[in-house]
């Protein structure tokens, strides 16, 4: 049964004095599909701004926001109501040729998946490849889905989650060396590791539903890591099942709590918001962001 959520994403930039603003690229709107429908949407910007809606090369919905005047605060508030029909991806059958690792994509699929198959980060000493290969069984056939589930669980169990406000993403080798990272770092680590095993992956940014915000969730103690801000995970393309989500931050491998906004071959192409400002050096005071995802009573 579909579940309805109300989502509010608020981002505030503050400055010591009024500054001018360049165009801001905002990727907040959930990504419509057969399992997710956007029922209502609202975008409020202060100071007043011109807004243009476009689709990027991955068909993500992007708002181009151009504030009209100078101000000491830039506030962008996006509100949505969505209907989400989550799927149990563990029950989706794979094509017989892809049930066991290694497998090969068809020629047609490889043409379409090429940018998601090619690693984007260097591994000169083969450390990431060796890390990825530990999940392949040596005592018998290895299930393709099992490799990804074990990798997903291993990241959650062995690496420390650290929230980080700075822009950018650690390289996979940095995350392995530090044994810690943010949700974006964990997603990129698993993406690049899977690509080195021949599995097509892509980065996903979006929102995470936290059941603890609901009365029944608070009573059960059912909480997740990364709620209250934008979240990141990955999808792996498995023939027969399509794009299957994996969230190594929480060891989730379905989309019951994951709400897609944007997909990209690399995290740098799916930033929730980016833009520029013009003013005296040192005027920037900082940014705050808050995401609220609430399940509507009586739905789902």
């Amino acid at each position: 049964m579909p579940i309805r959520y109300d989502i509010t994403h608020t981002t505030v930039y503050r400055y010591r004095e009024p500054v001018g603003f360049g165009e801001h690229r905002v990727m907040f709107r959930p990504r419509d599909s057969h399992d997710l429908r956007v029922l209502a949407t609202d975008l409020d910007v202060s100071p007043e701004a011109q807004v243009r809606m476009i689709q990027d090369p991955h068909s993500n919905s992007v708002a181009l926001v151009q504030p009209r005047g100078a101000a000491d605060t830039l506030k962008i508030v996006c509100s949505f109501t969505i209907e989400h029909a989550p799927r149990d991806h563990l029950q989706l059958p794979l094509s017989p040729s892809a049930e066991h690792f290694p497998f090969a994509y068809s020629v047609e699929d490889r043409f379409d998946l090429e940018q998601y198959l090619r690693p984007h980060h260097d591994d000169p000493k083969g450390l990431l490849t060796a890390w990825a290969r530990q999940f392949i069984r040596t005592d018998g056939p290895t299930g393709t889905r099992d490799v990804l589930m074990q990798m997903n669980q291993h990241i959650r169990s062995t690496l420390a989650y650290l929230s980080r406000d700075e822009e950018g993403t650690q390289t996979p080798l940095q995350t392995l060396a530090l044994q810690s990272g943010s949700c974006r770092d964990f997603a990129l680590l698993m993406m690049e590791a899977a690509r080195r095993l021949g599995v097509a992956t892509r980065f996903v940014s979006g929102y995470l539903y936290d059941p603890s915000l609901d009365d029944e969730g608070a009573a059960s103690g059912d909480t997740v890591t990364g709620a209250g801000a934008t979240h990141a995970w990955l999808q792996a393309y498995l023939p027969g099942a399509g794009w299957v989500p994996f969230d190594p931050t929480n060891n989730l491998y379905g989309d019951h709590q994951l709400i897609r906004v944007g997909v990209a071959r690399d995290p740098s192409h799916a930033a929730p918001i980016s833009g520029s400002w013009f003013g005296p050096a040192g005027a920037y005071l900082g940014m705050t962001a808050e995401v609220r995802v609430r399940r509507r009573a009586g739905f789902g």
Side-chain angles (χ1 to χ4, degrees), residues 96-175:
S97 61
E99 289 180 353
H100 294 95
F101 182 87
F103 70 94
Y105 292 104
S106 68
V107 174
E108 291 80 5
D109 281 347
R110 290 194 67 87
F111 275 120
D112 294 329
L113 296 172
E114 194 275 335
Q115 63 178 329
Y116 304 114
L117 279 164
R118 186 178 68 252
H120 288 68
H121 294 266
D122 293 334
D123 182 28
K125 297 182 179 180
L127 298 178
L128 181 58
T129 301
W131 183 88
R133 293 189 65 83
Q134 70 178 300
F135 304 103
I136 301 173
R137 294 182 58 176
T138 59
D139 58 350
T142 301
T144 298
R145 205 179 329 237
D146 293 338
V147 172
L148 297 172
M149 290 174 61
Q150 291 175 28
M151 190 181 298
N152 199 58
Q153 182 179 28
H154 185 81
I155 293 173
R156 173 66 177 87
S157 300
T158 64
L159 303 187
Y161 172 80
L162 295 176
S163 178
R164 195 175 67 251
D165 294 330
E166 295 86 355
E167 294 183 4
T169 308
Q170 295 173 176
T171 68
L173 292 180
Q174 287 174 325
T175 300

Side-chain angles (χ1 to χ4, degrees), residues 5 56 78 82 87 235 295:
Y5 296 104
D56 71 4
C78 302
I82 67 165
R87 308 178 69 184
Q235 292 175 329
R295 180 171 173 168

Side-chain angles (χ1 to χ4, degrees), residues 58 60 116 169 183-189 191 195 201-206 231-236 243 262-272:
H58 298 278
N60 300 312
Y116 304 114
T169 308
C183 57
R184 298 172 72 86
D185 303 325
F186 292 165
L188 181 59
L189 168 62
M191 284 169 56
R195 286 171 176 172
T201 60
R202 66 184 184 184
F203 182 84
V204 187
S205 66
H231 192 52
W233 59 98
L234 68 137
Q235 292 175 329
W243 288 109
V263 301
R265 59 182 172 82
D266 187 78
S268 62
H269 300 150

